[in-house]
């Protein structure tokens, strides 16, 4: 029942914007704030911190706030059913370290970052800024952010 | 440097397919297999089961395999740092129950399901089939599935 008048104009507009929207989506447009803990925090405290901050991943930093490790909810759950005392074991014992950390940069394409999340089977990527001394953490990119991007793409175009 | 010849045809094709792709995506096209446990499984065994099956959410069923509850990695982590003995507490004590379970159906729009995941702040939706007796579980829809849909949308259109 949509009138044919204006169809091609409207169509072309939708085409341009959906396609370009996807190409132009950047990590920085959808990233969340990072939550960091120090290397010597205990696993117990890290779990409590994760609940207080309501995130699924914590980034571990050294005294210069440079990225040293990543702690997922899965890492913490695995440790919590182990035989170690959660109140004495520090997070640096169980965290994922470089070169095994999968990361992205704020100007990266969101599509490329989404592929990293899937291919490397991680919940979250630290968004990093590379310096001479190491990686500063400027954000956190999760599948929640990608899901929000998916929704916003649909909403922008009134699907 | 793209020749102008064919520009409008190519553009129109992209428009139609990106837009229609998003509208036509259904839960059933992206859902994963559900992993279920019984109401009387201990929390410890459920955690082990979650690792063995490599999922982030378990669905709890009764003796008729009807949906009774949902267990997230977050629920299990919260319980694991509590004072209760994980080897004696059954999952039905800590699971999310109806009417608090957020679910979807296999013919639902993927966009609508994605919105449920975000608005209700859950990691996963059981994909259910409604019967006179209750909900049978036919799938599991997660933010990983939505992220894969996002990627496939981009890949289909060579972005």
């Amino acid at each position: 029942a949509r009138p044919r008048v204006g169809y091609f104009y409207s169509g072309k507009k939708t085409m341009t914007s959906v396609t370009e929207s996807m190409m132009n989506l950047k990590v920085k447009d959808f990233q969340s704030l990072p939550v960091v803990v120090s290397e010597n925090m205990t696993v117990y405290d890290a779990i409590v911190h994760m609940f207080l901050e309501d995130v699924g991943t914590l980034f571990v930093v050294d005294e210069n706030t440079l990225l040293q490790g990543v702690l997922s909810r899965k890492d913490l759950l695995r440790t919590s059913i182990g035989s170690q005392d959660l109140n004495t074991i520090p997070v640096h014992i169980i965290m994922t370290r470089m070169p095994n950390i999968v990361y992205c940069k704020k100007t990266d394409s969101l599509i490329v970052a989404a592929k990293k999340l899937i291919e490397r089977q991680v919940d979250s990527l630290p968004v990093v800024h590379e310096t001479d001394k190491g990686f500063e953490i400027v954000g956190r990119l999760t599948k929640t952010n990608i899901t929000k991007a998916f929704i916003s793409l649909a909403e922008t175009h009134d699907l």
Side-chain angles (χ1 to χ4, degrees), chain A:
Chain A
R2 175 188 283 193
R4 284 186 68 88
V5 172
Y7 175 79
F8 287 101
Y9 172 70
S10 160
K12 187 156 173 287
K13 181 166 172 282
T14 304
M15 170 278 287
T16 307
S17 46
V18 172
T19 308
E20 290 189 354
S21 296
M22 281 202 89
M23 284 193 291
N24 290 334
L25 296 178
K26 300 294 182 197
V27 166
K28 66 181 173 192
D29 302 323
F30 286 90
Q31 72 188 34
S32 297
L33 289 173
V35 179
V36 305
V37 298
S38 80
E39 298 170 280
N40 294 317
M41 182 179 267
T42 67
V43 170
Y44 182 88
D45 287 347
I47 294 172
V48 172
H49 200 70
M50 184 173 270
F51 277 103
L52 290 175
E53 296 283 346
D54 197 24
V55 292
T57 306
L58 298 172
F59 301 129
V60 183
V61 294
D62 62 18
E63 64 281 7
N64 297 313
T65 70
L66 295 172
L67 178 66
Q68 296 299 319
V70 172
L71 286 171
S72 67
R73 202 176 271 152
K74 194 172 173 180
D75 294 328
L76 295 172
L77 185 61
R78 186 187 298 107
T79 307
S80 76
I81 60 164
S83 54
Q84 294 156 306
D85 180 359
L86 303 183
N87 280 302
T88 56
I89 180 174
V91 294
H92 70 77
I93 302 291
I94 67 160
M95 70 187 188
T96 297
R97 291 174 175 275
M98 292 299 265
N100 297 319
I101 298 173
V102 193
Y103 59 89
C104 66
K105 301 193 174 172
K106 66 181 183 178
T107 52
D108 284 353
S109 152
L110 197 65
I111 293 165
V112 172
K115 286 183 186 173
K116 277 189 188 174
L117 286 166
I118 295 301
E119 288 165 9
R120 300 293 295 269
Q121 297 186 39
V122 291
D123 291 328
S124 176
L125 301 176
V127 184
V128 304
H129 173 66
E130 198 164 357
T131 71
D132 290 345
K133 296 173 180 173
F135 286 145
E136 291 172 355
I137 306 170
V138 297
R140 174 171 59 93
L141 190 80
T142 68
K143 290 172 192 164
T144 300
N145 299 132
I146 305 296
T147 301
K148 286 181 179 173
F150 178 79
I151 293 170
S152 76
L153 206 58
E155 288 186 339
T156 305
H157 302 285
D158 287 327
L159 301 187

